Amino acid sequence: MKAAPFAYVRPSGLDDVLAELAGGDGKVLAGGQSLVPVLAMRLGRPGTLVDINAVDELGGFARSGDTLEIGAAVRQRTVEHARLSRDVPLLGMAMPFVGHRELRSRGTVCGSLAHADPAAELPAVASCLGATVGVAGPSGRRRVPADEFLVGAMTTLVAPEEVVTGVELPVARPGQGFGFAEIARRHGDFALAGVVTVVDTGDDGSLRHARLTGFGISDRPVTEDVTDLLRSALPGDGRDDLGRRLRPGTTELAARIVDTGGDAHGSTGYRRRLFSVLAARELAAAWTKAGHRPS
Ligand SMILES: Cc1cc2nc3c(=O)[nH]c(=O)nc-3n(C[C@@H](O)[C@H](O)[C@H](O)COP(=O)(O)OP(=O)(O)OC[C@H]3O[C@@H](n4cnc5c(N)ncnc54)[C@H](O)[C@@H]3O)c2cc1C
């Protein structure tokens, strides 16, 4: 199909972007990797596409203190290849799973957050890390925690008159370990089920905090504090044993949070099993990477 007619503008300043969006009938165009198919299928019929790629202010990509700041026009592929991104190891772990290389050459990190596909990798990473999303609108600017930003399937709290300006991701600290895994039918497909984990340990190697995010399993990424779950499975005799001891807990978690209905690719029960196995494995992996080696 062909898209319904629309106007196209490419402002060079943020104020002009907001002026174009003011009527509420505009749609931000970032990488176009999700929006253009939506238009082509006539699932959306915006009056104007507001291309944000000429706005210098949205092209920033830098470390500021303990935060990696990624502007709204920054491509996924740029982030994937930048040395800077090593400060946020989950970006390197997740990025190869975001569609294919060609899509990442155009797609933006913030576009993925704004699109809010429940099975997308980057919203899950943002949620697990406790990232902050910058939003600008007619009444000014605000910074929103990723969990509040992601409201539901393809839904964020950004109003039609607003634009995402960037995302701030915390850089890794010593004593942190990370895990990422997903199962998809083919590489580059959206996940049937996926898991992101972060484990924090103290100077003495003791567990301080553990977080786990499931994606592809509900209408948005679901983040849980799993410190007690991990603590109850320690001390471990090694990663494999720890993973096995975590399974009853992750099975219980799966029954509670995996609520995506069955489809042609997998039933709810199948997704629960996938999630449970991945969650135990990636929680154990994050604990190991945080500094604990199998004995
Ligand atoms: C075949 C195929 C496979 C894919 N597989 C995956 C996958 O496995 N995992 C995955 O995560 N993604 C996947 N994607 C989508 C991914 O490629 C896109 O990069 C991403 O979802 C959107 O990023 P974008 O910059 O292209 O956004 P766009 O397509 O430009 O925009 C997407 C939506 O977000 C809004 N938007 C974008 N930027 C802003 C902003 N700054 N402020 C406000 N609203 C904004 C747009 O208005 C639009 O509604 C796939 C896409 C295709 C076509």
Side-chain angles (χ1 to χ4, degrees), residues 27-28 30-35 76 99 103 108 114 120-121 164 188-190:
K27 201 85 178 127
V28 171
Q33 299 306 295
S34 294
L35 180 58
Q76 293 158 3
L103 299 167
T108 63
E121 294 79 9
V164 172
D189 280 7
F190 283 100

Side-chain angles (χ1 to χ4, degrees), residues 183 192-195 215-218 247-262 266-280:
I183 301 290
L192 288 172
V195 166
F215 60 103
I217 52 110
S218 192
R247 275 301 296 284
T250 57
T251 302
E252 215 173 281
L253 190 61
R256 186 158 54 80
I257 69 172
V258 179
D259 61 13
T260 291
S267 63
T268 308
Y270 178 58
R271 284 191 163 89
R272 285 189 174 141
R273 281 201 299 284
L274 288 183
F275 172 84
S276 168
V277 171
L278 296 181

